[in-house]
Each structure stands twice: as C-alpha cells, then as structure tokens.
Amino acid sequence: MKAALREAETAAENGDIPVGAVIVKDGQVIASAHNTREKDCSAVRHAEIIAIERACEAVGDWRLDGCDMYVTLEPCMMCAGAVSQARLRRLYFGAYDRERGYVVSNPIEGFDVECYCGIMEKECAGVLSEFFEGMRKG
C-alpha cells in the first residue's frame, strides 16, 4: 500500500485526484499507476484501469490470475468491474468511498474478487483530504 500511496502523491503533484494503484504478482510489483484524468482529459484514466493495462502488458495476457491489486481508494463501479474482469485474485484498498465506491460501500452484484478493506485507511484518506482542502483554499 505504501507504493500505491506514493503513486497517489504523484497524482496530487500533477493536479489529479490522488489515487494510486499497484499490482503485485509473486511478491513483485508488476505495474503501478495513478489517476491521470485531468492530465489526459479522459474520464477513464483511473489508477486502477491504467495499472490493469500495464499489468496485462507485463504478463502478456488479459487474465491477471494470481495477481493482487493495492489501491488507495475503494474502486468506483467502472474500476470494480475492471478488477473483476481482469480476474485479479485479491483487492486491497485503503480509504472507503461511501458515495462512489462499488466494492463494499455500494456493492455491485457479481463482484467476486477477495477483498481486504481499510488498509492504511488513515494515510490513504489523509492524502485525499489534504488534496481537496488545498483546492478549496485555492
């Protein structure tokens, strides 16, 4: 989760909502990413989607069997679907997203990935709070 937090901090430095994700296979990080929606002017450039794309390239398959994702914020509906479709083994997330999270806060039917929630929650939520507080102060 520390590597995902570093990715989230990079997103914040670049003016994007600070969400970071890493994908691990056999104890090794095979992909990492952060949100680039603002930079790329694209609604789908979420950390999870980019990390999945990179992991697929790394393993040479769209199936990420045996891989685990660590992400700083509970995935949205789009990302939860991608996590499931990629056949990730486990999902670890930090901060809950009670409004837009679709893993445990607003669970979607058919999400069958083993999930561990609230990992380093305080640190993950803190990065988000600091980012939005800075935006409000302007």
Side-chain angles (χ1 to χ4, degrees):
M1 190 61 77
K2 289 180 182 178
L5 270 167
R6 285 192 296 275
E7 287 288 334
E9 290 165 356
T10 299
E13 291 166 8
N14 294 330
D16 261 291
I17 294 174
V19 177
V22 297
I23 297 180
V24 175
K25 183 176 178 98
D26 300 325
Q28 299 293 318
V29 173
I30 62 167
S32 59
H34 55 270
N35 276 357
T36 62
R37 290 189 314 172
E38 297 296 329
K39 176 183 167 243
D40 295 338
C41 297
S42 174
V44 298
R45 301 308 286 166
H46 289 205
E48 299 95 323
I49 301 295
I50 300 167
I52 288 169
E53 289 173 347
R54 291 177 179 169
C56 290
E57 289 175 17
V59 301
D61 197 346
W62 64 268
R63 295 170 194 87
L64 297 177
D65 297 319
C67 294
D68 301 329
M69 177 183 278
Y70 295 79
V71 62
T72 57
L73 181 65
E74 180 179 3
C76 69
M77 183 181 292
M78 174 182 68
C79 292
V83 165
S84 182
Q85 288 295 318
R87 299 184 181 169
L88 285 157
R89 177 178 56 184
R90 294 185 195 105
L91 171 70
Y92 299 84
F93 75 78
Y96 290 84
D97 187 345
R98 302 291 182 204
E99 185 178 328
R100 297 190 189 275
Y102 283 87
V103 175
V104 294
S105 294
N106 304 288
I108 56 175
E109 189 173 329
F111 186 81
D112 57 355
V113 177
E114 189 177 330
C115 189
Y116 298 89
C117 316
I119 311 300
M120 295 180 67
E121 181 179 6
K122 182 178 177 183
E123 295 87 343
C124 293
V127 170
L128 287 158
S129 296
E130 186 177 305
F131 176 79
F132 286 114
E133 188 174 300
M135 285 186 71
R136 283 189 291 275
K137 289 180 180 177

